[in-house]
Amino acid sequence: MKTRREELKELSEKDLKEKLDAERIALMRLRINHAITPLDNPSSIKYKRREIARINTELRARELKKEKE
């Protein structure tokens, strides 16, 4: 079974950027929905924030690897 980080490493840079945009939109929707009516699972907001951070970390690692070469 693959971890989230391993799955992110297999994606292309374009796919990562698309996934990042989708996650940011989903996070914004969760926050708006939570402000209107409390969510059943408010920890899903934390999960989305961490997923965005993982994607940003992978993108930055690839950028640094390109600079190093």
Side-chain angles (χ1 to χ4, degrees):
M1 188 171 155
K2 294 182 182 179
T3 63
R4 289 184 197 109
R5 290 181 184 158
E6 290 172 348
E7 291 172 2
L8 291 176
K9 287 182 180 183
E10 292 176 357
L11 294 175
S12 69
E13 192 169 333
K14 180 183 174 186
D15 291 338
L16 280 174
K17 289 181 181 181
E18 289 174 1
K19 186 173 176 97
L20 179 62
D21 290 338
E23 292 291 329
R24 285 183 175 163
I25 291 169
L27 176 62
M28 187 174 19
R29 286 186 183 150
L30 278 174
R31 285 181 175 163
I32 291 170
N33 289 340
H34 186 61
I36 296 169
T37 3
L39 295 173
D40 292 335
N41 186 9
S43 64
S44 61
I45 293 173
K46 182 167 72 170
Y47 172 78
K48 288 290 180 192
R49 276 193 356 252
R50 289 183 177 180
E51 191 66 26
I52 290 170
R54 283 186 193 99
I55 296 169
N56 280 329
T57 301
E58 180 60 29
L59 286 170
R60 181 67 178 149
R62 289 179 186 193
E63 183 180 314
L64 291 174
K65 187 176 179 182
K66 284 181 184 178
E67 288 177 6
K68 192 174 181 181
E69 293 176 352

